[in-house]
Amino acid sequence: MDKWFNNKWFIRGISLLIAIMLYMMVSMDNVGNQQAGGIPGITNGHRVIEEVDLTIYYNEDEHVVTEAPETVQVNLRGPQNVLTLLQVTRPQYEVFIDLTDKEPGEHYERVQYSGFPSDLSVSIVPMTVRVGLQEKQTSSFPIDIELENEGELEEGYTLGNPSVDPSSVDVTAASGLVEQVASAQVLVDLSGRDGTFEESASVILLDASGNPLPITPDPSAVDVEVPITSPNKEVPVRIEREGDPPEGFAISSVEADPSDVTIYGPVSVINEISFLEGIDVDLSEITEDTTLEVDVPVPDGVERVDPETISVDIEIEEEESRSYNNVPIEIVGLEDGKEVELVSPGEAFFDLEIMGTATLLERISREDIEAFVDLEGVEAGEYDLPITVNGPQHLRFTKGMNEVSLIVYDDEASAQNANDDVEIEDDIETEDDEDTENSETEIEEEPEEEENSS
């Protein structure tokens, strides 16, 4: 290839080919413009260039153009070959107005041009244009958040105070336009929202009538965060103890910190929850004061809990004991129409040993201890049932006996037995009366016999 370009005949051939191509283009594009018998390259032609960008030079640091045409029309006249070359080569011509040294105001300026071949006659339409120049002004406006469809939030959901970052925008424009800005606003749609969300929103500049203005603020978009809190309720936590401390140790206290947590979820779910359970603490290896960090369980149907973890403070002391004799056993849960008879022990009392810290033992009395046998749902018959002991937290109980033997029977059976006893007694009384009457008769008859004998 390099050898070809070094060959003068190759270069001449290429030049001839380009000349022929230019001639053909001129012939096709200007058939209508050429006069009959005209010679290409000598005959004058005319060309119109539509919508040529109009450049305006001005002091951009201090001024703003508020009014000016964006484009103009350029009319060219001259040799046809020059017009054709202009069309083919597309030189960097420019149409402009220079207001660099002008002050703010309205200016009627002649349109200037550059970059066109000197062989061509150039005319601009319009020749003179009006340009408005105003002083540049920069102002800052706080952003107002406009929430749409707020009424579509689900029942029980609470809308917090939305925030925006950044909290204001800068507006740089002509002073007359900046003065029209009444507020900067972002629109946030709450439709379908069921929790806190963040999104990017475009900033709109509004005039005093609420109409948008054709100005672009800086920045043009901001980040908006809208807190939406689902229905919530504060409930206490319940700590479940697993196991007992090693022998010789007793629990002084088990406290949750915080003692209450907040649950979030549908109203129908959280209204049914009065306390939070499911927090289990194993005490079987606790021999000194301990603080445990435990996770708070999330009940079924609840969205979340706050906080997610709590501290459980456990205080340990040496274990002491106290004994109570003849603790009464209460019978509970007996259905109407039933009676109970205690078989063993013969009396409803038993001995009880209570173990705990000295502080707890000093504060309790016998009235704080409840011992009972539960007969709920028990039918007539003979049973051996356990004795249940309840008392203050953090105590252990050792019972002198663990169960009682008893008989449950219906009132009708006892009434029938009573009726049978009454009938038996009546029979006995009747027999006694008959025997008495017979004996009296015999006594009365004996004197008559004596009188007859005499």
Side-chain angles (χ1 to χ4, degrees):
M1 182 65 71
D2 292 339
K3 293 180 179 180
W4 290 358
F5 283 103
N6 292 329
N7 189 319
K8 65 179 180 179
W9 291 108
F10 177 76
I11 297 299
R12 290 174 181 175
I14 292 297
S15 300
L16 178 61
L17 180 61
I18 292 174
I20 294 173
M21 292 176 62
L22 289 174
Y23 174 78
M24 293 178 64
M25 292 176 61
V26 170
S27 299
M28 289 185 294
D29 291 342
N30 298 283
V31 170
N33 294 332
Q34 293 181 7
Q35 298 177 356
I39 301 175
I42 299 176
T43 306
N44 286 338
H46 173 235
R47 183 182 175 196
V48 177
I49 305 177
E50 303 282 354
E51 297 184 350
V52 178
D53 291 338
L54 177 62
T55 302
I56 300 176
Y57 293 102
Y58 62 98
N59 187 342
E60 297 183 7
D61 294 334
E62 298 180 1
H63 301 145
V64 175
V65 173
T66 59
E67 181 183 3
E70 295 182 358
T71 62
V72 294
Q73 177 182 302
V74 177
N75 297 322
L76 301 175
R77 292 184 180 276
Q80 188 64 49
N81 61 334
V82 177
L83 292 174
T84 302
L85 185 63
L86 177 70
Q87 183 178 2
V88 173
T89 58
R90 298 184 181 278
Q92 296 297 317
Y93 54 81
E94 182 183 30
V95 179
F96 63 93
I97 293 175
D98 189 0
L99 301 178
T100 304
D101 297 329
K102 301 293 183 181
E103 295 296 324
E106 288 190 355
H107 301 275
Y108 290 86
E109 297 290 328
R110 187 180 183 89
V111 179
Q112 304 179 56
Y113 58 86
S114 64
F116 291 103
S118 59
D119 296 340
L120 298 178
S121 172
V122 181
S123 63
I124 309 297
V125 179
M127 184 183 303
T128 301
V129 297
R130 184 177 68 176
V131 180
L133 198 63
Q134 288 190 16
E135 184 178 356
K136 178 184 285 188
Q137 179 179 338
T138 299
S139 297
S140 181
F141 294 88
I143 299 175
D144 298 327
I145 303 173
E146 182 69 22
L147 301 177
E148 297 181 313
N149 300 314
E150 185 175 345
E152 295 186 12
L153 289 177
E154 295 292 334
E155 179 187 359
Y157 284 79
T158 303
L159 181 65
N161 294 322
S163 60
V164 60
D165 184 31
S167 60
S168 63
V169 291
D170 292 332
V171 178
T172 301
S175 57
L177 199 54
V178 173
E179 290 172 358
Q180 297 180 42
V181 179
S183 64
Q185 188 179 91
V186 293
L187 300 179
V188 179
D189 190 359
L190 299 181
S191 299
R193 305 291 188 176
D194 58 1
T196 298
F197 66 94
E198 297 180 9
E199 68 179 22
S200 179
S202 298
V203 181
I204 305 172
L205 300 177
L206 304 175
D207 61 17
S209 300
N211 300 314
L213 295 170
I215 312 175
T216 301
D218 181 29
S220 60
V222 293
D223 296 324
V224 181
E225 180 179 9
V226 182
I228 297 178
T229 305
S230 60
N232 60 86
K233 178 182 178 181
E234 194 172 84
V235 295
V237 296
R238 174 180 289 180
I239 307 297
E240 298 291 341
R241 296 171 43 174
E242 289 186 350
D244 294 314
E247 185 176 354
F249 296 94
I251 299 295
S252 174
S253 65
V254 177
E255 301 290 341
D257 183 22
S259 58
D260 296 332
V261 297
T262 303
I263 57 176
Y264 297 83
V267 175
S268 58
V269 174
I270 64 175
N271 281 349
E272 298 297 322
I273 300 176
S274 56
F275 58 87
L276 194 64
E277 57 184 352
I279 302 177
D280 300 326
V281 176
D282 186 5
L283 304 177
S284 60
E285 297 183 0
I286 302 295
T287 58
E288 59 183 7
D289 294 348
T290 304
T291 298
L292 303 176
E293 292 291 331
V294 297
D295 295 329
V296 179
V298 180
D300 292 339
V302 172
E303 295 175 0
R304 63 186 179 93
V305 295
D306 183 35
E308 297 180 351
T309 61
I310 61 173
S311 299
V312 178
D313 299 322
I314 305 171
E315 294 185 0
I316 292 288
E317 295 182 16
E318 291 185 3
E319 187 177 58
E320 297 186 8
S321 64
R322 175 180 293 182
S323 297
Y324 290 97
N325 298 324
N326 297 325
V327 177
I329 304 173
E330 184 180 358
I331 304 298
V332 299
L334 184 65
E335 296 180 0
D336 293 339
K338 285 186 171 58
E339 294 289 342
V340 63
E341 179 183 345
L342 196 60
V343 176
S344 176
E347 296 181 351
F349 297 96
F350 74 111
D351 296 334
L352 179 67
E353 184 179 12
I354 305 174
M355 288 159 288
T357 65
T359 304
L360 288 177
L361 293 178
E362 288 176 359
R363 291 205 301 258
I364 66 171
S365 63
R366 179 173 292 196
E367 288 72 21
D368 297 322
I369 307 301
E370 180 186 21
F372 61 90
V373 175
D374 190 359
L375 298 183
E376 183 176 359
V378 174
E379 299 295 333
E382 186 172 351
Y383 299 93
D384 292 329
L385 298 177
I387 301 173
T388 301
V389 178
N390 286 338
Q393 282 188 323
H394 313 312
L395 295 176
R396 291 194 299 121
F397 304 99
T398 300
K399 294 172 284 188
M401 57 187 307
N402 293 319
E403 62 182 19
V404 297
S405 297
L406 50 80
I407 299 174
V408 178
Y409 53 86
D410 296 329
D411 277 351
E412 295 179 357
S414 62
Q416 182 62 42
N417 292 336
N419 290 335
D420 292 343
D421 293 341
V422 170
E423 291 177 359
I424 293 172
E425 291 178 356
D426 290 344
D427 292 342
I428 294 173
E429 290 178 356
T430 302
E431 291 177 356
D432 290 342
D433 292 342
E434 290 178 353
D435 292 340
T436 302
E437 290 177 357
N438 292 335
S439 62
E440 290 178 352
T441 303
E442 291 177 356
I443 294 172
E444 289 177 354
E445 291 178 350
E446 286 178 356
E448 291 180 356
E449 292 179 356
E450 290 179 356
E451 290 177 357
N452 292 335
S453 62
S454 57

